[in-house]
Amino acid sequence: MGGDELIIVLNSIEPSKTNAMLRTYLRIAARILARNKLYTLINVVGLALGVCVCIIIWLVDSFDLNFDRFHPDGDRIYRVVVGGKPGEARPAVVLRPMPAAMRADIPGLESMAAYFAYDESQTVRVPVQGHATVAFQPRLPAEDRATGIIIADTGWFHVFSYRWLAGNPATALAAPYTVVFTESAAKLYFGNIPPMAAMGRELIYADSLHVHVSGVVRDWTQHSDLAYTDIISSPTINVSFLKETHQMDDWEPHLGPDHPWPSCYVKLAKGVNTGQVEAQMNRIAAKRDIQTPFGPYTQKLQPLSDIHFNAEYFDFAGRRKAHRPTLYALAGIALFILVLAAVNFINLATGLVRAFPFHG
């Protein structure tokens, strides 16, 4: 639509006191745009590019800055990590008996979850009656190296919240040879069947660990470093071949792939101070005079909101870490570009009006 055509449309509108000024401004703008198409194109494209760059940067920043921000009581959830000096690389794990000792000796822990990342099982096999087993490779979202399989205790569902589609959160991980998985994993393994229809079905991990489905939960819809898809019950360890490498009563800090260490998350009770809990954890370790390649064994609590950004702690899975200062710098650049584009647009528009004044 040309400038004169737009003016005809505007003139057809019934005039009123409330829109008279607006109609005048639109009439001026339409005539200027029609007379100076190239100048207007440069002006509008410049502003549009600036806005597009800002939107792209905002999408990048919001992707990383929102990791694990959706958990209820997230400000009271912490990961237990190995202590040490700032700047040193330290593992985000605990000695195997430590979770049980913490449960017994440390008050103020509302709930706790200990788990092993089960990266040894790179494939999951699903028996199909009358056919060979079908193999799948579960992966964490956006992670090529880390599987989505863990071996966890019932505390996992007390620290982290899920919407249950089938099964009971109080008992789903209480028995050996059971597994809870997400709705997406259920569809991957069994196709588009109702969650209740997956209950009791068999899966095979690491070619010889046979387990049965005891629960199905809804996938988290927001970004998380903890979006595991397959959660095997920890009682399975003591009654299977897993006890050879996943003993939970050995205080020795063994190293190597044959001696995995568990990870541990705690949810503190309201009003509990992190310093008090850390002091109690370290008293437990000090009683046993544990020495590690990192020095005397100490522990500290890492806030859940810090996990996606702090590269000092590693979990042996090689997960990507975001650099918070870089994200903030990108946000500053986006704001600068937006202001610059807006100022440039206003200056060009003002210069255009001055160069081509409208009379009448």
Side-chain angles (χ1 to χ4, degrees):
M1 179 182 292
D4 292 333
E5 294 173 328
L6 181 58
I7 292 174
I8 293 173
V9 172
L10 291 173
N11 285 331
S12 66
I13 301 175
E14 186 68 21
S16 67
K17 294 182 179 179
T18 57
N19 66 13
M21 183 176 295
L22 177 61
R23 291 176 60 248
T24 301
Y25 289 152
L26 290 176
R27 194 183 300 117
I28 295 172
R31 184 160 297 180
I32 293 176
L33 292 176
R35 292 180 177 177
N36 307 279
K37 293 181 176 64
L38 179 61
Y39 202 66
T40 299
L41 179 64
I42 296 173
N43 198 1
V44 173
V45 168
L47 179 61
L49 287 176
V51 172
C52 289
V53 170
C54 290
I55 292 175
I56 293 172
I57 293 177
W58 175 79
L59 291 174
V60 171
D61 275 16
S62 63
F63 176 82
D64 280 315
L65 292 175
N66 287 321
F67 260 70
D68 287 307
R69 293 281 188 177
F70 60 93
H71 300 284
D73 303 316
D75 59 327
R76 295 193 283 122
I77 298 176
Y78 296 83
R79 181 170 66 174
V80 184
V81 297
V82 174
K85 298 178 181 179
E88 293 179 342
R90 289 156 284 168
V93 292
V94 298
L95 290 178
R96 295 166 185 169
M98 184 59 73
M102 292 171 60
R103 284 191 181 98
D105 298 338
I106 300 179
L109 301 181
E110 181 176 308
S111 54
M112 175 190 297
Y115 72 95
F116 289 95
Y118 196 34
D119 293 332
E120 295 92 333
S121 181
Q122 294 294 321
T123 60
V124 179
R125 298 187 179 276
V126 180
V128 180
Q129 188 173 7
H131 300 81
T133 58
V134 181
F136 301 91
Q137 291 185 326
R139 287 288 183 270
L140 282 176
E143 296 286 350
D144 294 329
R145 296 172 56 185
T147 71
I149 310 169
I150 61 173
I151 305 171
D153 56 32
T154 56
W156 181 264
F157 297 114
H158 295 288
V159 176
F160 302 105
S161 296
Y162 291 83
R163 180 183 173 188
W164 283 77
L165 304 178
N168 186 337
T171 60
L173 296 181
Y177 298 116
T178 57
V179 62
V180 174
F181 49 52
T182 60
E183 185 179 23
S184 63
K187 291 181 179 179
L188 174 66
Y189 301 146
F190 304 126
N192 192 21
I193 65 174
M196 286 301 299
M199 296 290 288
R201 297 282 294 269
E202 183 183 16
L203 296 96
I204 305 173
Y205 293 86
D207 293 326
S208 58
L209 183 63
H210 295 252
V211 300
H212 292 84
V213 179
S214 60
V216 181
V217 296
R218 181 84 71 190
D219 292 82
W220 288 333
T221 58
Q222 300 185 52
H223 306 305
S224 174
D225 285 317
L226 304 170
Y228 298 107
T229 57
D230 302 47
I231 305 171
I232 301 172
S233 64
S234 60
T236 305
I237 294 174
N238 292 329
V239 296
S240 69
F241 62 86
L242 293 172
K243 62 184 178 183
E244 298 176 5
T245 54
H246 294 71
Q247 308 95 331
M248 293 299 290
D249 57 355
D250 187 358
W251 282 98
E252 287 298 318
H254 301 291
L255 298 178
D258 294 331
H259 301 281
W261 292 24
S263 298
C264 182
Y265 284 83
V266 298
K267 180 188 289 188
L268 303 186
K270 293 181 180 179
V272 173
N273 183 276
T274 57
Q276 296 174 343
V277 175
E278 289 175 345
Q280 292 170 321
M281 289 192 302
N282 291 328
R283 276 197 292 269
I284 294 173
K287 291 178 181 179
R288 293 163 175 83
D289 191 26
I290 301 169
Q291 298 294 321
T292 73
F294 312 99
Y297 182 76
T298 60
Q299 294 180 293
K300 66 176 299 183
L301 298 178
Q302 180 189 18
L304 178 63
S305 59
D306 183 60
I307 292 174
H308 187 64
F309 305 98
N310 196 332
E312 291 184 8
Y313 303 106
F314 57 90
D315 54 10
F316 302 104
R319 293 192 183 94
R320 180 186 67 86
K321 298 291 184 181
H323 191 236
R324 203 191 302 262
T326 299
L327 297 176
Y328 290 154
L330 285 174
I333 292 173
L335 181 61
F336 174 76
I337 291 175
L338 182 61
V339 172
L340 186 64
V343 170
N344 184 64
F345 180 86
I346 293 172
N347 286 339
L348 287 174
T350 303
L352 183 61
V353 172
R354 291 176 177 175
F356 303 97
F358 173 74
H359 299 286

